[in-house]
Amino acid sequence: MYPLRDSSRPRRPRSGRGSERPPDVHSLPRPFESLDTSLCASLGAAIAKIHCLKPDKLMESGYQTFSGSAIREELKAWMDHLTIERDIPRSILNRWDQLITVDALWDFRASLVHGDYRPNDVLFLDSGVSAIRNWERLQISDPARDFAWLFEDS
């Protein structure tokens, strides 16, 4: 996923992920690839509810906020950097250039997003999601960011 950053605002370190209090015996994390259809639907519904929350108070509190145009500009800058610094095949860069010009991709309502789901971040009961934790990358941004994990190798 493309990097989004606000260098004026420090991020909390992620090193404490394993140091949380152990979860309730009835509520456990599960590897995403092991979820059945019912638990996948529960996770999707939980993420959708988060995206429907109004971000106004968080915006007023100074949480990172990224509009479609800001994300587009960040991606353009990242692509320029990759073109110079890395050996990226021209076919990939051309495809990214094409995608940047598609206005509909950047026309979204910025929503509250978790920003970095990992299997240990979601706790499940037998009936579905019971909690979502590790909110250190919370931001108001493109809701699609919360689905980046679908495209990552574990």
Side-chain angles (χ1 to χ4, degrees):
M1 193 73 189
Y2 47 85
L4 289 178
R5 61 191 174 284
D6 177 358
S7 58
S8 66
R9 182 167 182 185
R11 289 191 172 156
R12 287 191 285 167
R14 296 177 60 93
S15 60
R17 279 190 170 240
S19 62
E20 297 103 0
R21 189 176 55 127
D24 179 358
V25 262
H26 301 291
S27 185
L28 300 170
R30 297 182 186 191
F32 290 147
E33 62 272 6
S34 73
L35 302 181
D36 62 22
T37 303
S38 174
L39 292 177
C40 285
S42 177
L43 177 56
I47 293 171
K49 287 177 184 176
I50 291 165
H51 292 169
C52 288
L53 295 172
K54 295 186 181 200
D56 303 350
K57 294 290 182 193
L58 291 173
M59 292 169 99
E60 292 170 11
S61 298
Y63 277 85
Q64 291 180 311
T65 303
F66 300 97
S67 65
S69 60
I71 293 171
R72 180 187 260 181
E73 291 306 313
E74 180 82 17
L75 183 57
K76 283 180 186 177
W78 187 52
M79 288 173 46
D80 290 345
H81 171 76
L82 290 177
T83 301
I84 295 167
E85 300 293 325
R86 303 264 197 277
D87 188 23
I88 305 293
R90 185 80 246 163
S91 60
I92 292 174
L93 293 172
N94 289 341
R95 181 64 181 138
W96 287 354
D97 282 335
Q98 290 172 351
L99 291 172
I100 282 180
T101 65
V102 178
D103 291 336
L105 291 176
W106 313 104
D107 184 21
F108 58 83
R109 181 180 62 85
S111 302
L112 179 70
V113 296
H114 181 275
D116 190 32
Y117 284 104
R118 301 284 177 225
N120 285 338
D121 294 342
V122 184
L123 303 180
F124 294 90
L125 293 171
D126 290 337
S127 59
V129 174
S130 61
I132 297 175
R133 58 187 182 174
N134 295 324
W135 290 89
E136 63 270 9
R137 298 214 186 259
L138 172 71
Q139 58 187 245
I140 296 92
S141 187
D142 181 353
R145 286 189 60 79
D146 275 346
F147 298 99
W149 57 271
L150 290 169
F151 303 99
E152 293 178 355
D153 291 332
S154 300

